[in-house]
Amino acid sequence: KQQVPALLQCFDVAYIGWQRQALYRFGIAPNKLIDYMMAARPILHSVDAGNDPVSDAGCGLTVAPEDPSALARGVLHMMAMPAAERIALGQRGKGYALRNLSYPVLGERFLNILAGLLEICWALGLKSTEGFTRLWPSVFVGAALVASLVLLSIAVKQLPIGTAYAV
């Protein structure tokens, strides 16, 4: 794994191809694709999925999967680009990965979702406290409330407050 970034620097274009699968309608997030983006390589992506990180990042070209002629056209298209344009595609992919797919960003998003779930728990649990006259439901609601606020305060370090709170 440590040698992959150096190896990717030797590539003019990085390729990742998929077979058609019904499961992919929910989206894809392969580690290999993130490696390609972090290496600032332009990407030729062959997929039919519910998302397309290559198009979202503007870092390459997506073609139909299981279609050799589409793949061949994609290769020819990518190689016909001036080198500077391929470099720009790679840089866009790296920037996208750093902004959206790095561990700190994903961790903050996870904490934000967890904070939202805890907020739902304490809000729904309020009724069971019966005006905070029942000990254990009150303890649960209080703990969920405090944990939700703590996690929200951590999440807003990375996300704008409006986005963090809305989620």
Side-chain angles (χ1 to χ4, degrees), residues 78-93:
M78 295 291 282
M79 296 315 298
M81 286 182 184
E85 191 173 339
R86 287 195 308 270
I87 290 169
L89 288 173
Q91 290 302 318
R92 279 198 295 270

Side-chain angles (χ1 to χ4, degrees), residues 48-71:
D48 181 13
N51 66 330
D52 184 357
V54 171
S55 291
D56 294 345
C59 65
L61 176 65
T62 299
V63 298
E66 300 179 351
D67 184 343
S69 62
L71 179 58

Side-chain angles (χ1 to χ4, degrees), residues 14-130:
Y15 171 73
I16 183 169
W18 302 78
Q19 295 179 341
R20 291 188 197 283
Q21 294 287 332
L23 181 62
Y24 298 158
R25 72 182 180 274
F26 300 109
I28 55 162
N31 289 339
K32 182 187 300 186
L33 189 57
I34 298 167
D35 288 343
Y36 291 173
M37 288 179 177
M38 289 301 295
R41 299 292 91 195
I43 301 168
L44 179 56
H45 193 209
S46 176
V47 69
D48 181 13
N51 66 330
D52 184 357
V54 171
S55 291
D56 294 345
C59 65
L61 176 65
T62 299
V63 298
E66 300 179 351
D67 184 343
S69 62
L71 179 58
R73 286 189 305 273
V75 169
L76 292 173
H77 177 79
M78 295 291 282
M79 296 315 298
M81 286 182 184
E85 191 173 339
R86 287 195 308 270
I87 290 169
L89 288 173
Q91 290 302 318
R92 279 198 295 270
K94 184 172 184 172
Y96 178 87
L98 289 171
R99 285 188 312 276
N100 298 289
L101 305 172
S102 66
Y103 286 128
V105 171
L106 295 176
E108 298 294 337
R109 288 182 185 162
F110 174 76
L111 291 177
N112 199 24
I113 290 167
L114 188 56
L117 291 173
L118 286 169
E119 187 165 334
I120 291 168
C121 288
W122 73 255
L124 292 176
L126 279 175
K127 184 176 180 181
S128 67
T129 68
E130 296 178 10

